[in-house]
Amino acid sequence: MEHNILSSQQLLEHWQGHRRLTRRVIEAFPEDQLFTFSVGGMRPFAELAVEMLLMGVPGIKGVLTGKWKQLVEDNQTQKKEPPRTKDALLQRWDEATAEMDALWPQIPAQRFQETDVAFEMYEGQVYWFILYWIDNEIHHRGQGYVYLRALGIEPPPFWER
Amino acid sequence: MEHNILSSQQLLEHWQGHRRLTRRVIEAFPEDQLFTFSVGGMRPFAELAVEMLLMGVPGIKGVLTGKWKQLVEDNQTQKKEPPRTKDALLQRWDEATAEMDALWPQIPAQRFQETDVAFEMYEGQVYWFILYWIDNEIHHRGQGYVYLRALGIEPPPFWER
C-alpha cells in the first residue's frame, strides 16, 4: 500500500461510536414495536440488531483466528435463540461491546490488508470485511430511523456518537 | 498514530463503490416518486441525494484547500437550484464521480490525521469528516431502501458495489 491514513484504534473507535448510536436506536423503540414493527415487509429492528451482533464479535474472532467454520455454526445456533425482550437485547449488545474492545487490540496491523474468506462466504481483504460490517449496521440503522419516524418517534441525532 | 491499516486509494474506492450503489438506488425510483415519495414525513430521496452531492466534491475541495467559507456559500446557491429530473440528477452524480476521482489523489497522506473545521461547522480530524460523509450516504440510502420497498420495488443488493 502506498499511503496509510487510519489507525486500527481509530477504526475500532469509529465502529464503537456507531454501535453507541445503534444502542440508542434500540432504546428508542417501544418494546413491542422493536420486535414487530416493519415497513414494506422488511424485518423488525430487533432482527436487524441481532444480525449486527452476529457480525461484530464473531467477525473479529474470525479476523483474529482465520477460522470461520465454527463461527458460522455458532451463529446458526445463536439465530435460533434470539433475545426476546429489549433488556435482553441491550444486555447482549453491551456484552458484545466489551468483548470487541478486549479482542480488537489483538489484531496484528498487517492483518487488515490480508485476503481471507469471511464466514466462509465473502472473499476480500480484511479491512474490507470490517468496513462492510460497519456499513451494514449503518444501512440497517437507517432503516430503523424510518421505522421510528413512521411510529411518530424522533430518532437520536445521527451525528452523536 | 501507532498502526496504519488503510490506504488513501482504498478509501476512495470504498466511497466510490458506495456511490455506485447509491446511483442504482436513484435509478430504481420511478421519476415522480424520486422527488415526492416519503415515509414518516422524511425527505424524498432526490433531496437526500442532493445532500450527498453537497458533501462529496465540496468536501474534498475543503480537505484539499482548508478553505471552507466559499464552499459553504456555493452549497447554499446549489441548494436553490436542485436538479428537477432523474436524468439531471444522474448527470450531476456522474460529474461528481469524475471530479472526485480527479481531486482525491491530490490529498497529501498526512492530511487525513490533521484537525480542521469542515464546512466551518464540524471540528474533527479529516479522516473523521470523510468517514462521516460516507456514513451519511449509507444512512440515507438505507432510508431509500425502505421507500423502495414501501413502493413495492426491489432495491439493488447492498453488497454489490
Short mmCIF file of all heavy atoms in Angstrom, two decimals, chain A residues 95-139:
data_model
loop_
_atom_site.label_atom_id
_atom_site.label_comp_id
_atom_site.label_asym_id
_atom_site.label_seq_id
_atom_site.Cartn_x
_atom_site.Cartn_y
_atom_site.Cartn_z
N GLU A 95 -22.56 -6.68 26.24
CA GLU A 95 -21.54 -7.74 26.34
C GLU A 95 -20.65 -7.74 25.10
O GLU A 95 -19.43 -7.90 25.19
CB GLU A 95 -22.22 -9.12 26.50
CG GLU A 95 -22.84 -9.32 27.88
CD GLU A 95 -23.84 -10.49 27.93
OE1 GLU A 95 -23.99 -11.19 26.90
OE2 GLU A 95 -24.46 -10.67 28.98
N ALA A 96 -21.28 -7.56 23.94
CA ALA A 96 -20.51 -7.53 22.69
C ALA A 96 -19.55 -6.35 22.67
O ALA A 96 -18.40 -6.47 22.24
CB ALA A 96 -21.45 -7.48 21.49
N THR A 97 -20.02 -5.20 23.16
CA THR A 97 -19.15 -4.00 23.21
C THR A 97 -17.87 -4.29 23.97
O THR A 97 -16.76 -4.00 23.50
CB THR A 97 -19.90 -2.83 23.88
OG1 THR A 97 -21.11 -2.59 23.16
CG2 THR A 97 -19.06 -1.56 23.91
N ALA A 98 -18.02 -4.89 25.15
CA ALA A 98 -16.86 -5.17 25.99
C ALA A 98 -15.95 -6.21 25.33
O ALA A 98 -14.72 -6.07 25.34
CB ALA A 98 -17.33 -5.66 27.36
N GLU A 99 -16.57 -7.22 24.71
CA GLU A 99 -15.77 -8.28 24.09
C GLU A 99 -15.01 -7.74 22.87
O GLU A 99 -13.85 -8.09 22.64
CB GLU A 99 -16.69 -9.45 23.70
CG GLU A 99 -15.94 -10.77 23.63
CD GLU A 99 -16.86 -11.98 23.48
OE1 GLU A 99 -18.10 -11.82 23.62
OE2 GLU A 99 -16.33 -13.08 23.21
N MET A 100 -15.66 -6.88 22.11
CA MET A 100 -14.99 -6.28 20.94
C MET A 100 -13.79 -5.44 21.38
O MET A 100 -12.72 -5.51 20.78
CB MET A 100 -15.99 -5.44 20.14
CG MET A 100 -17.02 -6.29 19.38
SD MET A 100 -18.39 -5.32 18.69
CE MET A 100 -17.53 -4.38 17.42
N ASP A 101 -13.99 -4.66 22.44
CA ASP A 101 -12.88 -3.84 22.96
C ASP A 101 -11.71 -4.71 23.41
O ASP A 101 -10.55 -4.32 23.26
CB ASP A 101 -13.36 -2.99 24.15
CG ASP A 101 -14.07 -1.72 23.70
OD1 ASP A 101 -13.90 -1.32 22.53
OD2 ASP A 101 -14.81 -1.14 24.53
N ALA A 102 -12.04 -5.88 23.99
CA ALA A 102 -10.97 -6.75 24.50
C ALA A 102 -10.24 -7.47 23.37
O ALA A 102 -9.02 -7.64 23.40
CB ALA A 102 -11.57 -7.78 25.48
N LEU A 103 -10.99 -7.89 22.33
CA LEU A 103 -10.39 -8.68 21.26
C LEU A 103 -9.62 -7.83 20.25
O LEU A 103 -8.57 -8.24 19.74
CB LEU A 103 -11.48 -9.46 20.50
CG LEU A 103 -12.18 -10.58 21.27
CD1 LEU A 103 -13.38 -11.09 20.46
CD2 LEU A 103 -11.21 -11.73 21.55
N TRP A 104 -10.18 -6.67 19.92
CA TRP A 104 -9.66 -5.85 18.81
C TRP A 104 -8.15 -5.59 18.87
O TRP A 104 -7.44 -5.75 17.85
CB TRP A 104 -10.43 -4.54 18.74
CG TRP A 104 -10.06 -3.69 17.58
CD1 TRP A 104 -9.03 -2.79 17.52
CD2 TRP A 104 -10.69 -3.65 16.29
NE1 TRP A 104 -8.99 -2.18 16.29
CE2 TRP A 104 -10.00 -2.69 15.51
CE3 TRP A 104 -11.77 -4.32 15.72
CZ2 TRP A 104 -10.35 -2.39 14.20
CZ3 TRP A 104 -12.14 -4.02 14.41
CH2 TRP A 104 -11.43 -3.07 13.67
N PRO A 105 -7.60 -5.18 20.04
CA PRO A 105 -6.17 -4.83 20.06
C PRO A 105 -5.26 -6.02 19.73
O PRO A 105 -4.08 -5.83 19.46
CB PRO A 105 -5.93 -4.37 21.51
CG PRO A 105 -7.29 -4.03 22.03
CD PRO A 105 -8.25 -4.95 21.34
N GLN A 106 -5.81 -7.23 19.73
CA GLN A 106 -5.01 -8.41 19.39
C GLN A 106 -4.84 -8.60 17.89
O GLN A 106 -4.08 -9.45 17.44
CB GLN A 106 -5.65 -9.68 19.99
CG GLN A 106 -5.82 -9.63 21.50
CD GLN A 106 -6.64 -10.81 22.01
OE1 GLN A 106 -6.57 -11.91 21.47
NE2 GLN A 106 -7.43 -10.59 23.05
N ILE A 107 -5.58 -7.81 17.07
CA ILE A 107 -5.45 -7.95 15.61
C ILE A 107 -4.13 -7.32 15.18
O ILE A 107 -3.91 -6.13 15.39
CB ILE A 107 -6.61 -7.24 14.86
CG1 ILE A 107 -7.98 -7.71 15.37
CG2 ILE A 107 -6.49 -7.46 13.35
CD1 ILE A 107 -9.16 -6.94 14.77
N PRO A 108 -3.23 -8.10 14.56
CA PRO A 108 -1.97 -7.51 14.10
C PRO A 108 -2.24 -6.52 12.96
O PRO A 108 -3.10 -6.78 12.11
CB PRO A 108 -1.17 -8.71 13.56
CG PRO A 108 -1.92 -9.94 14.00
CD PRO A 108 -3.33 -9.52 14.24
N ALA A 109 -1.52 -5.39 12.93
CA ALA A 109 -1.78 -4.33 11.96
C ALA A 109 -1.75 -4.85 10.52
O ALA A 109 -2.56 -4.45 9.69
CB ALA A 109 -0.79 -3.19 12.13
N GLN A 110 -0.85 -5.74 10.22
CA GLN A 110 -0.72 -6.20 8.82
C GLN A 110 -1.92 -7.05 8.39
O GLN A 110 -2.16 -7.24 7.21
CB GLN A 110 0.60 -6.95 8.59
CG GLN A 110 0.70 -8.33 9.21
CD GLN A 110 1.16 -8.28 10.68
OE1 GLN A 110 1.17 -7.22 11.30
NE2 GLN A 110 1.52 -9.44 11.22
N ARG A 111 -2.66 -7.56 9.37
CA ARG A 111 -3.80 -8.43 9.08
C ARG A 111 -4.88 -7.72 8.23
O ARG A 111 -5.57 -8.34 7.44
CB ARG A 111 -4.40 -8.91 10.41
CG ARG A 111 -5.61 -9.81 10.32
CD ARG A 111 -5.28 -11.20 9.82
NE ARG A 111 -6.46 -12.05 9.84
CZ ARG A 111 -6.82 -12.82 8.82
NH1 ARG A 111 -6.08 -12.89 7.72
NH2 ARG A 111 -7.91 -13.57 8.90
N PHE A 112 -5.01 -6.41 8.40
CA PHE A 112 -6.08 -5.65 7.72
C PHE A 112 -5.96 -5.69 6.19
O PHE A 112 -6.93 -5.51 5.49
CB PHE A 112 -6.10 -4.19 8.20
CG PHE A 112 -6.57 -4.05 9.61
CD1 PHE A 112 -5.67 -4.07 10.67
CD2 PHE A 112 -7.92 -3.92 9.89
CE1 PHE A 112 -6.11 -3.95 11.99
CE2 PHE A 112 -8.37 -3.80 11.20
CZ PHE A 112 -7.46 -3.82 12.25
N GLN A 113 -4.73 -5.91 5.70
CA GLN A 113 -4.53 -5.94 4.26
C GLN A 113 -4.50 -7.37 3.71
O GLN A 113 -4.36 -7.57 2.51
CB GLN A 113 -3.24 -5.21 3.88
CG GLN A 113 -3.32 -3.69 4.08
CD GLN A 113 -4.21 -3.00 3.05
OE1 GLN A 113 -4.24 -3.39 1.88
NE2 GLN A 113 -4.96 -1.99 3.46
N GLU A 114 -4.62 -8.36 4.59
CA GLU A 114 -4.61 -9.75 4.11
C GLU A 114 -5.94 -10.13 3.49
O GLU A 114 -6.99 -9.56 3.83
CB GLU A 114 -4.28 -10.69 5.28
CG GLU A 114 -2.83 -10.60 5.71
CD GLU A 114 -2.50 -11.46 6.92
OE1 GLU A 114 -3.38 -12.24 7.38
OE2 GLU A 114 -1.38 -11.34 7.44
N THR A 115 -5.91 -11.12 2.61
CA THR A 115 -7.14 -11.63 1.99
C THR A 115 -7.60 -12.87 2.74
O THR A 115 -6.79 -13.68 3.18
CB THR A 115 -6.87 -11.95 0.51
OG1 THR A 115 -6.52 -10.74 -0.15
CG2 THR A 115 -8.09 -12.54 -0.17
N ASP A 116 -8.92 -12.99 2.92
CA ASP A 116 -9.49 -14.13 3.63
C ASP A 116 -10.92 -14.33 3.08
O ASP A 116 -11.35 -13.58 2.20
CB ASP A 116 -9.51 -13.83 5.14
CG ASP A 116 -9.64 -15.10 5.99
OD1 ASP A 116 -10.03 -16.16 5.45
OD2 ASP A 116 -9.39 -15.02 7.21
N VAL A 117 -11.61 -15.35 3.61
CA VAL A 117 -13.00 -15.57 3.19
C VAL A 117 -13.87 -15.51 4.44
O VAL A 117 -14.03 -16.50 5.15
CB VAL A 117 -13.16 -16.92 2.46
CG1 VAL A 117 -14.58 -17.05 1.90
CG2 VAL A 117 -12.14 -17.06 1.34
N ALA A 118 -14.42 -14.34 4.71
CA ALA A 118 -15.18 -14.11 5.96
C ALA A 118 -16.40 -15.02 6.00
O ALA A 118 -17.16 -15.12 5.04
CB ALA A 118 -15.60 -12.65 6.05
N PHE A 119 -16.59 -15.65 7.14
CA PHE A 119 -17.73 -16.55 7.35
C PHE A 119 -17.85 -17.56 6.20
O PHE A 119 -18.96 -17.94 5.81
CB PHE A 119 -19.03 -15.74 7.53
CG PHE A 119 -19.02 -14.89 8.78
CD1 PHE A 119 -18.94 -13.50 8.71
CD2 PHE A 119 -19.06 -15.48 10.04
CE1 PHE A 119 -18.91 -12.71 9.86
CE2 PHE A 119 -19.04 -14.70 11.19
CZ PHE A 119 -18.96 -13.32 11.10
N GLU A 120 -16.69 -17.97 5.68
CA GLU A 120 -16.60 -18.95 4.58
C GLU A 120 -17.42 -18.53 3.36
O GLU A 120 -17.83 -19.37 2.56
CB GLU A 120 -17.08 -20.34 5.05
CG GLU A 120 -16.29 -20.85 6.25
CD GLU A 120 -16.41 -22.35 6.42
OE1 GLU A 120 -17.55 -22.83 6.53
OE2 GLU A 120 -15.37 -23.03 6.42
N MET A 121 -17.68 -17.23 3.20
CA MET A 121 -18.58 -16.82 2.14
C MET A 121 -18.10 -15.59 1.37
O MET A 121 -18.27 -15.50 0.16
CB MET A 121 -19.95 -16.53 2.75
CG MET A 121 -21.09 -16.65 1.74
SD MET A 121 -22.64 -16.16 2.50
CE MET A 121 -23.26 -17.70 3.12
N TYR A 122 -17.50 -14.60 2.08
CA TYR A 122 -17.17 -13.32 1.44
C TYR A 122 -15.67 -13.19 1.29
O TYR A 122 -14.96 -12.94 2.28
CB TYR A 122 -17.73 -12.16 2.26
CG TYR A 122 -19.20 -12.34 2.57
CD1 TYR A 122 -19.61 -12.79 3.82
CD2 TYR A 122 -20.16 -12.10 1.59
CE1 TYR A 122 -20.95 -12.99 4.11
CE2 TYR A 122 -21.51 -12.30 1.87
CZ TYR A 122 -21.89 -12.75 3.13
OH TYR A 122 -23.21 -12.95 3.41
N GLU A 123 -15.17 -13.33 0.07
CA GLU A 123 -13.73 -13.22 -0.14
C GLU A 123 -13.33 -11.77 -0.34
O GLU A 123 -13.96 -11.04 -1.12
CB GLU A 123 -13.30 -14.05 -1.37
CG GLU A 123 -11.79 -14.01 -1.52
CD GLU A 123 -11.23 -15.03 -2.50
OE1 GLU A 123 -12.01 -15.87 -3.02
OE2 GLU A 123 -10.01 -14.98 -2.74
N GLY A 124 -12.28 -11.37 0.35
CA GLY A 124 -11.80 -9.99 0.19
C GLY A 124 -10.74 -9.70 1.23
O GLY A 124 -10.33 -10.57 2.00
N GLN A 125 -10.29 -8.43 1.24
CA GLN A 125 -9.30 -8.04 2.24
C GLN A 125 -10.00 -7.77 3.57
O GLN A 125 -11.16 -7.37 3.60
CB GLN A 125 -8.54 -6.81 1.74
CG GLN A 125 -7.45 -7.20 0.72
CD GLN A 125 -6.91 -5.99 0.00
OE1 GLN A 125 -7.57 -5.45 -0.88
NE2 GLN A 125 -5.72 -5.57 0.37
N VAL A 126 -9.25 -8.01 4.64
CA VAL A 126 -9.84 -7.93 5.98
C VAL A 126 -10.42 -6.53 6.26
O VAL A 126 -11.52 -6.41 6.81
CB VAL A 126 -8.81 -8.34 7.05
CG1 VAL A 126 -9.28 -7.97 8.45
CG2 VAL A 126 -8.53 -9.84 6.96
N TYR A 127 -9.70 -5.45 5.87
CA TYR A 127 -10.25 -4.11 6.13
C TYR A 127 -11.61 -3.97 5.45
O TYR A 127 -12.50 -3.27 5.94
CB TYR A 127 -9.30 -2.99 5.65
CG TYR A 127 -9.35 -2.71 4.16
CD1 TYR A 127 -10.31 -1.84 3.63
CD2 TYR A 127 -8.49 -3.34 3.28
CE1 TYR A 127 -10.38 -1.60 2.26
CE2 TYR A 127 -8.56 -3.11 1.90
CZ TYR A 127 -9.52 -2.24 1.41
OH TYR A 127 -9.61 -2.02 0.06
N TRP A 128 -11.75 -4.65 4.31
CA TRP A 128 -12.99 -4.55 3.54
C TRP A 128 -14.16 -5.20 4.27
O TRP A 128 -15.25 -4.65 4.34
CB TRP A 128 -12.79 -5.17 2.15
CG TRP A 128 -13.84 -4.73 1.18
CD1 TRP A 128 -13.78 -3.66 0.33
CD2 TRP A 128 -15.14 -5.32 1.00
NE1 TRP A 128 -14.96 -3.56 -0.37
CE2 TRP A 128 -15.81 -4.56 0.00
CE3 TRP A 128 -15.81 -6.41 1.56
CZ2 TRP A 128 -17.11 -4.85 -0.43
CZ3 TRP A 128 -17.10 -6.69 1.13
CH2 TRP A 128 -17.74 -5.92 0.15
N PHE A 129 -13.90 -6.42 4.85
CA PHE A 129 -14.97 -7.06 5.65
C PHE A 129 -15.41 -6.14 6.76
O PHE A 129 -16.58 -6.01 7.07
CB PHE A 129 -14.51 -8.29 6.45
CG PHE A 129 -13.82 -9.36 5.73
CD1 PHE A 129 -12.92 -10.18 6.43
CD2 PHE A 129 -14.04 -9.61 4.39
CE1 PHE A 129 -12.29 -11.21 5.81
CE2 PHE A 129 -13.40 -10.65 3.76
CZ PHE A 129 -12.51 -11.46 4.47
N ILE A 130 -14.41 -5.59 7.46
CA ILE A 130 -14.73 -4.82 8.67
C ILE A 130 -15.54 -3.59 8.29
O ILE A 130 -16.56 -3.29 8.91
CB ILE A 130 -13.45 -4.47 9.44
CG1 ILE A 130 -12.80 -5.77 9.96
CG2 ILE A 130 -13.76 -3.52 10.61
CD1 ILE A 130 -11.44 -5.59 10.61
N LEU A 131 -15.12 -2.89 7.23
CA LEU A 131 -15.93 -1.75 6.77
C LEU A 131 -17.32 -2.24 6.37
O LEU A 131 -18.32 -1.56 6.61
CB LEU A 131 -15.24 -1.05 5.59
CG LEU A 131 -13.95 -0.28 5.93
CD1 LEU A 131 -13.37 0.35 4.66
CD2 LEU A 131 -14.19 0.80 6.98
N TYR A 132 -17.38 -3.43 5.77
CA TYR A 132 -18.68 -3.96 5.36
C TYR A 132 -19.60 -4.15 6.57
O TYR A 132 -20.78 -3.82 6.52
CB TYR A 132 -18.52 -5.29 4.61
CG TYR A 132 -19.84 -5.80 4.08
CD1 TYR A 132 -20.30 -5.42 2.82
CD2 TYR A 132 -20.66 -6.62 4.85
CE1 TYR A 132 -21.52 -5.86 2.34
CE2 TYR A 132 -21.88 -7.05 4.39
CZ TYR A 132 -22.31 -6.68 3.13
OH TYR A 132 -23.53 -7.10 2.67
N TRP A 133 -19.07 -4.70 7.65
CA TRP A 133 -19.89 -4.93 8.84
C TRP A 133 -20.38 -3.61 9.43
O TRP A 133 -21.52 -3.49 9.88
CB TRP A 133 -19.10 -5.74 9.88
CG TRP A 133 -18.69 -7.10 9.38
CD1 TRP A 133 -19.38 -7.88 8.48
CD2 TRP A 133 -17.50 -7.83 9.70
NE1 TRP A 133 -18.68 -9.04 8.23
CE2 TRP A 133 -17.52 -9.04 8.97
CE3 TRP A 133 -16.41 -7.59 10.54
CZ2 TRP A 133 -16.51 -10.00 9.05
CZ3 TRP A 133 -15.41 -8.54 10.63
CH2 TRP A 133 -15.45 -9.73 9.90
N ILE A 134 -19.49 -2.62 9.46
CA ILE A 134 -19.88 -1.30 9.96
C ILE A 134 -20.96 -0.70 9.05
O ILE A 134 -21.99 -0.21 9.50
CB ILE A 134 -18.66 -0.36 10.06
CG1 ILE A 134 -17.61 -0.93 11.02
CG2 ILE A 134 -19.09 1.05 10.49
CD1 ILE A 134 -16.27 -0.19 11.02
N ASP A 135 -20.71 -0.75 7.74
CA ASP A 135 -21.65 -0.18 6.77
C ASP A 135 -23.01 -0.86 6.84
O ASP A 135 -24.05 -0.22 6.69
CB ASP A 135 -21.12 -0.33 5.34
CG ASP A 135 -19.83 0.46 5.12
OD1 ASP A 135 -19.50 1.29 5.98
OD2 ASP A 135 -19.17 0.22 4.10
N ASN A 136 -22.99 -2.18 7.04
CA ASN A 136 -24.23 -2.93 7.14
C ASN A 136 -25.05 -2.44 8.34
O ASN A 136 -26.28 -2.31 8.27
CB ASN A 136 -23.90 -4.42 7.28
CG ASN A 136 -25.14 -5.29 7.22
OD1 ASN A 136 -25.78 -5.39 6.19
ND2 ASN A 136 -25.51 -5.89 8.35
N GLU A 137 -24.34 -2.15 9.43
CA GLU A 137 -25.02 -1.62 10.62
C GLU A 137 -25.63 -0.24 10.33
O GLU A 137 -26.78 0.04 10.68
CB GLU A 137 -24.03 -1.53 11.78
CG GLU A 137 -24.62 -0.88 13.02
CD GLU A 137 -23.83 -1.16 14.29
OE1 GLU A 137 -23.00 -2.09 14.31
OE2 GLU A 137 -24.03 -0.43 15.27
N ILE A 138 -24.86 0.64 9.66
CA ILE A 138 -25.36 1.98 9.34
C ILE A 138 -26.59 1.88 8.42
O ILE A 138 -27.58 2.58 8.60
CB ILE A 138 -24.26 2.82 8.65
CG1 ILE A 138 -23.03 2.96 9.54
CG2 ILE A 138 -24.81 4.20 8.25
CD1 ILE A 138 -21.80 3.50 8.81
N HIS A 139 -26.47 0.99 7.44
CA HIS A 139 -27.54 0.78 6.45
C HIS A 139 -28.84 0.37 7.14
O HIS A 139 -29.90 0.97 6.94
CB HIS A 139 -27.06 -0.30 5.48
CG HIS A 139 -28.08 -0.80 4.53
ND1 HIS A 139 -28.54 -0.05 3.47
CD2 HIS A 139 -28.73 -1.99 4.44
CE1 HIS A 139 -29.42 -0.76 2.77
NE2 HIS A 139 -29.56 -1.94 3.35
#
